[in-house]
Amino acid sequence: MDKIRGRTSSLFDTSAVSAADVTANNFFHHKQSSLFGIDPFRKSYHIASSSSSSAMADDPLVVESSSASDGKRLVNEMDFFADERCSKVHNKASSAAANNHNLHVKIESEHHQDQNNESEVDVNTGLNLLTTNSISSDQKSVPQILKEKQRVNQLADIRAELERINAENQRLKVTLNQVNSSYYALQMHLVSLMQRQRINPRPETTDNNQMSNKATTEEKRNDETIIARQFMDLGQAAKSEKDIDQVSESSSEGRFQEESAGGSPGNAIVESMDRRQQKNNINETIRKEDDQPGWLSPNKVPKFNSSRDVEQAQETMAMIRKARVSVRARSEASMISDGCQWRKYGQKMAKGNPCPRAYYRCTMATGCPVRKQVQRCADDRAILITTYEGNHSHPLPPAAMAMASTTSAAASMLLSGSMPSADGMMNTNAILPKAMLPCSSSLVTLSASAPFPTVTLDLTHTPNNQRPSLNQLVHGAPNSPNWPHHHNISSLPHLVGQPIYNQSKLLGFLGSQGTDQHHPLLAQNPQLQSNSMADSVSAATAAITADPNFTAALVAAITSIIGNPHRDNNNSNNNGATTPRNTGDNNT
DNA sequence: CGGCTTTGACCAGCGC
DNA sequence: GCGCTGGTCAAAGCCG
């Protein structure tokens, strides 16, 4: 917001706003600014300097009229107010009038520059700042004075309205963040519950135990139902909030971007949770959880309102935040293109690899927590391994949207799939439906044995050991035989890197069948509520692939991973932030 | 001059 | 406690 407020050159030029600036709030400001033709917060034109700017001096109009004897300041005023609107007052040289005139002159002069010296007659800033102070009452008719007063009042009203809307925006933003974070925490909690239920088959012991276990199961089911309802309600609530917040945003793309970029719903909250949980070792947590034999003991049964659940949610959030997505791809460039802007902040020699590991952080917004590591594979240096961590805290360009919230998606996959077997690794085929992975081999692996849960995408293997054809990816229609048969596995994590609703869709597959019946997607599609996993998968796949957002994101994801070898700096998806020093690696 | 990379120093976690 | 390792910081330098 401040960027826009402070941007002097954007007074009339809306194109000067970068994508990163266009949050809902920023966008609103931006629209307001352009709508009214001024920036109501721009202070520089409250009182313009009485000395002529160089631009003014260079202005042919100024030069032309500089022969006036009253001095340059008045000359400028005369010159700029030579039109009919101002002809009645330009001969007055009172100091108040001079100040106001200069104000007007300054604005128009800037506009003059912005518009490449278009005729000033066309300029209409919407501001008529010639107040009654600057006009002798004997030269102004009463209706004119009233009219000007009315304009001043209108301006004040507009300003007040802007401020009110700003405050409203901020309030809605905060509310939305809260709802999002709650929604997210609940979702993760639900997923972890489902996972635990699946991992720890309930042991049949004594009758007494059976009784208590039965009660526990009932309680657990109730909890799950409650949680699932909360989960769905919150999701809808969040959506409603967004609907309200974005009621003026008719662009579906903008909306999609908002939701997606929200890739990091409630990052600030996650941060605060992290701070509180800093001393909690995540692995320790996992180990403790796994050490619980069989079903959770009654006192361990989650009560969502208990502090235990809050803690658990926090742990889950911390875990999600730490989750990583690793992409292995063949690339001669030092970085793969992912649509984001990165800044290198370190480089290290990692053990067991002669190639250095580079550390990057996202610079599309100040304070964005997303980092990535780039390293060449020790075995095959043609393979580039890029590991992402964190959620973006800002809107993303289309090319980068696929990467948004990928980490949280990774965590979702980890938490929703069966937890790793003894070796800590597992083939995704175990949890991913074949319908989704028609050509899958062990190309996607999930690991929770690493310090951080990690999803690894191996894009170096394709059927027949061929490199993916970008043309197929980009031009192949989703329903064509070539799409996504060859590459859908590559995009899987980006499938879940979609907005939370699409993540939920995948979770519907990955989660237990118990999850399915509470899943929003499945709830909306009775046909998906089949007890047969295969049926569910088939129907859900159809539903998902019919989602235009999904297909768009899928294509974006694939292209962002593979990178377009023909991509040049003109690529609009590059967000126009490349610099020649970026080693030409499509890193923006 | 601002933004970026480079690179050595520093710190925390972990295993012994 | 010590050393190793991974990750980050920050000063210096580079570049457009």
Side-chain angles (χ1 to χ4, degrees), chain A residues 244-262:
Chain A
I244 292 167
D245 200 18
Q246 299 174 351
V247 69
S248 63
E249 299 287 333
S250 58
S251 161
S252 62
E253 183 182 344
R255 189 190 178 104
F256 179 56
Q257 212 167 7
E258 283 289 324
E259 292 175 347
S260 166

Side-chain angles (χ1 to χ4, degrees), chain A residues 142-183:
Chain A
V142 174
Q144 278 176 322
I145 293 172
L146 288 176
K147 194 176 176 184
E148 283 166 2
K149 270 188 177 176
Q150 196 178 356
R151 285 183 180 176
V152 170
N153 287 340
Q154 280 179 349
L155 180 62
D157 287 345
I158 289 168
R159 284 193 177 188
E161 179 73 2
L162 273 177
E163 284 168 8
R164 191 189 63 76
I165 291 171
N166 274 338
E168 178 78 2
N169 263 346
Q170 289 298 328
R171 195 181 59 76
L172 288 174
K173 234 177 163 182
V174 168
T175 307
L176 179 60
N177 277 340
Q178 288 171 349
V179 169
N180 269 338
S181 57
S182 301
Y183 165 57

Side-chain angles (χ1 to χ4, degrees), chain A residues 408-485:
Chain A
S408 58
S412 299
M413 291 181 72
L414 284 165
L415 292 170
S416 57
S418 48
M419 270 318 221
S421 50
D423 62 355
M425 300 286 291
M426 65 184 181
N427 192 315
T428 328
N429 290 344
I431 58 167
L432 296 180
K434 293 289 183 185
M436 298 288 295
L437 310 171
C439 64
S440 63
S441 54
S442 38
L443 300 185
V444 179
T445 53
L446 309 182
S447 169
S449 64
F452 309 106
T454 304
V455 176
T456 302
L457 285 174
D458 194 339
L459 306 183
T460 62
H461 302 292
T462 58
N464 304 324
N465 203 25
Q466 290 175 342
R467 289 186 62 174
S469 159
L470 188 67
N471 287 338
Q472 281 180 328
L473 294 177
V474 175
H475 302 299
N479 294 329
S480 75
N482 287 334
W483 198 101
H485 179 78

Side-chain angles (χ1 to χ4, degrees), chain A residues 334-367:
Chain A
S334 61
M335 264 206 320
I336 62 175
S337 167
D338 50 28
C340 278
Q341 193 175 352
W342 303 94
R343 176 177 176 172
K344 190 176 183 177
Y345 66 89
Q347 181 168 308
K348 269 282 196 186
M349 293 302 297
K351 189 184 175 186
N353 193 332
C355 303
R357 176 185 298 164
Y359 299 90
Y360 297 86
R361 62 165 54 103
C362 177
T363 59
M364 291 192 76
T366 53

Side-chain angles (χ1 to χ4, degrees), chain A residues 297-346:
Chain A
S297 61
N299 61 352
K300 288 272 289 178
V301 171
K303 297 275 200 311
F304 196 75
N305 292 326
S306 70
S307 60
R308 163 72 185 163
D309 275 313
V310 175
E311 263 181 43
Q312 204 170 28
Q314 289 172 354
E315 288 165 5
T316 309
M317 292 290 281
M319 193 168 169
I320 290 161
R321 195 165 169 269
K322 294 289 182 188
R324 294 177 173 182
V325 176
S326 186
V327 178
R328 287 166 53 91
R330 291 188 183 276
S331 172
E332 292 177 5
S334 61
M335 264 206 320
I336 62 175
S337 167
D338 50 28
C340 278
Q341 193 175 352
W342 303 94
R343 176 177 176 172
K344 190 176 183 177
Y345 66 89

